[in-house]
Amino acid sequence: MLVPFTEFLRLSGLDEEQGQRIWSYIGSQIYPIEQRHRLALDLKEKERWISTGDKYIDRCLGGGIRLGNIVEIVGEGAAGKTQLCIQLAIAAQLPRRFGGADGEVIYISTEGAFPVSRLETMVLPFVQRVCGEQYARSFSVDELLRKIQVAEFESMETMFHALDYKVPAILSSGRIRLVVVDSIAAHLRFNMDASEDGRAGTKGFYIERTAHLTSMGARFKQWADKYQCAFICVNQVKDIIVDPIKDSTTHGPALLAKTHGRLSSSDEGDSRQDTDMSLLDVDDEFAILTRSKKAPALGALWANIIDARIMMYQRRGLAPSDLRQPEGSEDHGQTGGNQSVPDQHPQKLLGHLLRTRRWIENDFSPWAPRAQCEVTLSDSGFQSTKSVIAENF
């Protein structure tokens, strides 16, 4: 096929009709066109997802976790990243009629022991919530645990050895639908920083880290497409210190809050009337008391490897519903109906201020617009607090 057709005829001694048939046959074997292109309709029909178990969180993420892709989960400590990974590890094994992928899971832990006790306590409540009591009664927790293959790595060397040999062998079975790496940044940020040769922060250090990230990203993409499984990579965050006056932008739920004021009270008169409520003057159900900014670790290189990013936040703060006048209570003409009013006991108001609120945000993905959903964490995992989510903010 490296010579022109006329030269092929001359060398083979065939006539033009015979030569054309043989030429076409050889070409079809070298480049089988029917295997090299796919219709968009076929791709749509084969598209598969892992549901989070909550329809509003799924809507926020564009349908859940799409197989064949690398999805990053980012958040500060205690934001619930591992909890969400455990929830997805359960959901991936459920039948497709319940939003699962009817497959098995590989869980790679780089930050300590795998939280098997939390997994055990979450399984039945989650299955009961998603699949119903009848299905949950016949569900086997031990069977689910047997379908999660756990690998714990204390060093980067052992993790890469597993990626070279063990993980490909397990994936080749064709039963794996979810691979969790919790977390992708642990060894690349800390173990390399503590290298004995003192190269931390040097040019050689960053070249080596770039090589590791590129190698892992290429493997994950190849495996995700070949075996039609989703890769969940947990990432850490770094702080970005900003001036709240000069920089009015912020990451996360504060995008939906007007945080240009502060709570204050007068020494004279009713403090309820003199309280500056501009901090809590929000347009929707998301309020936050923070001015910090967080950015994912590992830089722009890793951000260009992943296909989608899920951001997780937790903050202490008030929701507008905490400040509204209860229905049927007297207003005395001070608030104009159901406007926000701190007409509560100070101790109760303080309790609301100290309450932890959580958000899950679809930061970017090629299949869904940016969206955010407030969630709560219970024995059965994450659930949305209401049917309202913020989209395209």
Side-chain angles (χ1 to χ4, degrees):
M1 302 300 289
L2 299 178
V3 297
F5 178 65
T6 54
E7 183 67 11
F8 170 74
L9 290 178
R10 187 185 69 80
L11 294 173
S12 64
L14 301 172
D15 59 39
E16 185 173 353
E17 183 179 354
Q18 291 176 324
Q20 185 63 51
R21 287 201 303 268
I22 295 176
W23 180 270
S24 299
Y25 175 77
I26 295 174
S28 66
Q29 296 302 307
I30 296 176
Y31 189 85
I33 187 65
E34 65 276 2
Q35 298 178 17
R36 298 297 181 93
H37 81 284
R38 292 173 289 182
L39 298 177
L41 181 61
D42 297 333
L43 294 176
K44 180 181 178 181
E45 292 175 349
K46 294 179 181 178
E47 200 172 61
R48 294 168 61 184
W49 302 77
I50 299 174
S51 171
T52 62
D54 185 282
K55 63 179 181 180
Y56 296 112
I57 299 178
D58 286 347
R59 176 187 162 192
C60 177
L61 302 180
I65 305 297
R66 191 166 75 168
L67 301 188
N69 293 271
I70 304 174
V71 180
E72 179 188 57
I73 298 179
V74 185
E76 57 191 320
K81 303 184 295 295
T82 299
Q83 302 286 336
L84 182 58
C85 289
I86 293 173
Q87 183 169 334
L88 292 171
I90 300 171
Q93 301 187 46
L94 296 179
R96 295 181 188 179
R97 67 180 186 274
F98 295 122
D102 200 15
E104 299 181 10
V105 178
I106 297 176
Y107 201 107
I108 299 174
S109 178
T110 63
E111 295 188 345
F114 174 72
V116 64
S117 58
R118 174 57 179 139
L119 173 63
E120 287 182 307
T121 58
M122 186 188 293
V123 171
L124 288 181
F126 178 81
V127 173
Q128 184 175 355
R129 172 165 65 87
V130 175
C131 307
E133 294 185 6
Q134 184 175 356
Y135 182 85
R137 281 196 293 268
S138 60
F139 190 82
S140 172
V141 177
D142 291 340
E143 183 65 22
L144 180 138
L145 295 177
R146 275 193 289 268
K147 292 182 179 180
I148 300 179
Q149 305 198 41
V150 179
E152 300 172 353
F153 302 116
E154 297 181 355
S155 68
M156 186 172 59
E157 289 74 17
T158 56
M159 183 176 73
F160 272 94
H161 183 272
L163 293 177
D164 286 334
Y165 302 104
K166 295 182 180 179
V167 174
I170 299 173
L171 287 172
S172 63
S173 68
R175 298 190 300 269
I176 303 298
R177 290 293 169 261
L178 179 67
V179 179
V180 178
V181 183
D182 185 9
S183 72
I184 194 71
H187 297 319
L188 293 172
R189 290 188 71 191
F190 302 116
N191 285 16
M192 289 184 69
D193 289 346
S195 57
E196 296 179 358
D197 56 9
R199 293 185 303 106
T202 65
K203 182 179 179 180
F205 161 77
Y206 288 111
I207 291 175
E208 184 179 354
R209 191 178 80 165
T210 298
H212 286 313
L213 281 174
T214 305
S215 174
M216 279 196 297
R219 295 181 194 185
F220 292 172
K221 281 185 176 293
Q222 179 185 5
W223 293 338
D225 181 68
K226 182 177 180 179
Y227 300 110
Q228 278 303 291
C229 59
F231 275 77
I232 299 291
C233 297
V234 176
N235 196 3
Q236 301 160 352
V237 295
K238 57 184 179 181
D239 289 306
I240 300 178
I241 308 302
V242 298
D243 186 335
I245 297 177
K246 294 181 180 179
D247 189 349
S248 61
T249 63
T250 186
H251 221 10
L255 285 168
L256 303 174
K258 299 177 181 178
T259 57
H260 56 273
R262 63 183 180 88
L263 287 174
S264 62
S265 60
S266 173
D267 294 333
E268 298 179 359
D270 189 349
S271 61
R272 289 187 287 108
Q273 297 180 12
D274 296 325
T275 300
D276 180 5
M277 298 305 296
S278 58
L279 179 62
L280 303 171
D281 179 21
V282 297
D283 298 323
D284 44 53
E285 289 295 326
F286 299 95
I288 184 171
L289 304 179
T290 182
R291 293 301 301 162
S292 64
K293 293 183 69 174
K294 305 289 183 181
L298 302 181
L301 172 67
W302 178 249
N304 284 284
I305 291 175
I306 60 176
D307 298 305
R309 171 177 290 158
I310 299 172
M311 301 288 291
M312 300 187 70
Y313 309 93
Q314 67 164 353
R315 298 288 186 271
R316 297 187 186 277
L318 288 164
S321 57
D322 298 330
L323 297 172
R324 289 190 182 127
Q325 187 85 302
E327 293 185 8
S329 61
E330 295 184 4
D331 185 63
H332 301 295
Q334 295 178 5
T335 63
N338 64 346
Q339 298 295 319
S340 297
V341 54
D343 190 16
Q344 301 181 17
H345 191 277
Q347 210 169 24
K348 185 176 181 182
L349 186 60
L350 180 62
H352 286 309
L353 282 168
L354 296 177
R355 187 182 68 174
T356 299
R357 303 179 66 201
R358 300 175 184 271
W359 292 265
I360 289 178
E361 176 184 315
N362 179 23
D363 190 42
F364 68 81
S365 73
W367 53 81
R370 191 178 181 190
Q372 189 180 79
C373 180
E374 185 174 1
V375 297
T376 58
L377 180 60
S378 64
D379 290 341
S380 64
F382 283 103
Q383 293 178 262
S384 58
T385 58
K386 54 183 72 66
S387 61
V388 178
I389 65 173
E391 294 179 314
N392 295 316
F393 53 87

